[in-house]
């Protein structure tokens, strides 16, 4: 292994997250309960440091490090920036919920560790690193979901753990099969080995391996945990688990699919079918929901379907940049919607939002922008993300999938409007919104508009590729 191949500075963003988690844990261990908030300072500093160093390193050459087990390319650079930024938003909307709690520091540490796992998941260029990243991204998530230690949180954490354990073992089975047939775990060597592998073994390895990544992304058929965990967890934890793990999982899935030879296994058709099922079943289930959190839970399943469209055409020049932009747009928009829920936690049904617009217009404006943004309404960022993904998918020869996605986008407007309508109607005034979460929601609403308006320059920056 060359000295350049062992470059520790290449992993500075990941090191910031790891060291930040350790320092935050140690800081919180020596603070009394009423001063646990101070432990958030090193966490925020670590996340900010990860973003800055990731932006600096993104200007470097595309390469792999540590015996070509970890890739430094457009996908990894995007994950290094989007995931810590999303984690900062989660910490901001969780201020009120965490303040004065005995396990306040624990929540922050779990956010950092799960974020680190998601980043490594996106950059993994070796099956063994992928497996370790999957565990690192999953185990802290179980703790986040059950953080409140109430019956609902315990039930949600148990469901998430059982499904994660089952599909994690299935993923390890896939890694074993692919290693046995391909003769390697590093992607660059595995691609050559799989070109002559038996079709049956190749298909088994692919399906088993995708099971774990689809679980992390919350896609069909590994989606059953999403609505229950979203409702059972605290709002900040729900915001995290419906956003950040998806970023790492989808980028990892995209990178992995490029390893498989198209003439040996029909991975494009499989991914396209999973995308169609995810967006359709997610939308159909969301129609009848009256709980805002459960509605957003099913909404995230449908959003994964649209994101999987880019994975179905993995390898095309415009597929990766479309996926990366859509992930950034989805992250800020989805977190903005959850921030509204965190600002008014006493509103437990869609109808209870009646009168919000009259008494809290800025918060309602943020809600409307984020919900219409999730539909894909211009000039929001998700509109540009969907447009670029749809165009790339059409050019990739999957016109039928674009047609299904367009119909689902139109249908999704119905259940988002079921939330918007009472919010903009007149009604009695309720308790004052929580200021930190409210400010976070408004900032996210503004950010999704800015990202949509400045999409051209951002997309030009993303004109990069993968390496393995």
């Amino acid at each position: 292994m060359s000295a350049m191949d062992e470059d520790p500075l290449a992993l500075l963003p990941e090191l910031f997250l790891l060291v930040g988690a350790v320092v935050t844990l140690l800081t919180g261990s020596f603070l009394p309960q009423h001063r646990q908030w101070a432990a958030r300072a090193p966490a925020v500093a670590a996340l900010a440091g990860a973003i800055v160093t990731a932006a600096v390193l993104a200007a470097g050459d595309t390469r792999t490090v540590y015996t070509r087990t970890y890739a430094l390319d457009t996908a990894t650079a995007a994950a290094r920036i989007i995931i810590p930024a999303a984690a900062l938003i989660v910490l901001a909307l969780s201020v009120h919920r965490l303040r004065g709690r005995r396990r306040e520091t624990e929540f922050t540490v779990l956010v950092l560790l799960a974020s680190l796992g998601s980043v490594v998941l996106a950059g993994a260029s070796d099956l063994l690193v992928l497996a370790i990243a999957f565990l690192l991204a999953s185990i802290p998530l179980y703790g986040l979901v059950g953080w409140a230690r109430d019956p609902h949180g315990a039930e949600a954490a148990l469901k998430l753990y059982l499904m994660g354990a089952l599909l994690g073992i299935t993923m390890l089975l896939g890694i074993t099969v692919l290693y046995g047939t391909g003769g390697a775990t590093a992607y660059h060597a595995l691609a050559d080995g799989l070109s002559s592998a038996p079709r049956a073994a190749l298909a088994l390895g692919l399906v088993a391996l995708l099971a774990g990544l689809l679980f992390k992304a919350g896609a069909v058929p590994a989606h059953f945990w999403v609505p229950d965990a979203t409702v059972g967890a605290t709002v900040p934890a729900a915001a995290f688990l419906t956003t950040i793990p998806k970023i790492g999982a989808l980028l990892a899935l995209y990178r992995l699919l490029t390893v498989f030879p198209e003439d040996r296994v029909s991975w494009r058709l499989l991914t396209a079918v999973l995308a169609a099922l995810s967006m359709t079943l997610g939308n159909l289930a969301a129609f009848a929901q009256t709980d805002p959190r459960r509605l957003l839970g099913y909404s995230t399943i449908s959003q994964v379907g649209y994101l999987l469209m880019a994975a179905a055409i993995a390898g095309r020049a415009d597929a990766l940049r479309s996926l990366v932009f859509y992930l950034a747009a989805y992250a800020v928009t989805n977190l903005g919607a959850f921030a509204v829920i965190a600002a008014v936690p006493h509103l437990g049904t869609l109808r209870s939002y009646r009168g919000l617009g009259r008494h809290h217009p800025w918060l309602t404006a943020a809600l409307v922008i984020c919900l219409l943004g999730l539909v894909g309404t211009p000039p929001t960022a998700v509109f540009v993300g969907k447009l670029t993904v749809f165009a790339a998918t059409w050019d990739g020869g999957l016109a039928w999938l674009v047609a299904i996605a367009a119909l689902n986008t139109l249908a999704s407007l119905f259940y988002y409007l079921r939330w918007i309508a009472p919010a903009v109607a007149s009604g009695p005034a309720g308790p004052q919104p929580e200021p930190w979460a409210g400010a976070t929601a408004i900032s996210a609403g503004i950010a999704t508009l800015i990202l949509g308006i400045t999409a051209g320059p951002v997309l030009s920056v993303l004109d990069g590729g993968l390496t393995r």
Side-chain angles (χ1 to χ4, degrees), residues 203-215:
L204 173 62
L206 172 63
V207 172
L209 188 54
L210 288 185
L213 296 178
L214 292 174
F215 159 74

Side-chain angles (χ1 to χ4, degrees), residues 219-289:
V220 171
H223 66 290
F224 297 102
W225 63 271
V226 177
D228 291 336
T230 305
V231 174
T234 61
V235 175
F240 184 96
L241 69 92
T242 57
T243 306
I244 292 177
K246 298 181 186 302
I247 301 170
L250 287 165
L251 289 174
L253 188 146
Y254 184 100
R255 187 188 303 279
L256 184 65
L257 288 176
T258 61
V259 175
F260 288 87
E262 295 183 53
D263 59 338
R264 305 292 295 172
V265 60
S266 301
W267 60 263
R268 292 193 187 276
L269 178 60
L270 173 63
T271 309
V273 170
L274 291 173
L277 290 174
S278 296
M279 65 180 74
T280 303
L281 294 180
N283 277 333
L284 290 176
F287 284 152
Q289 303 306 318

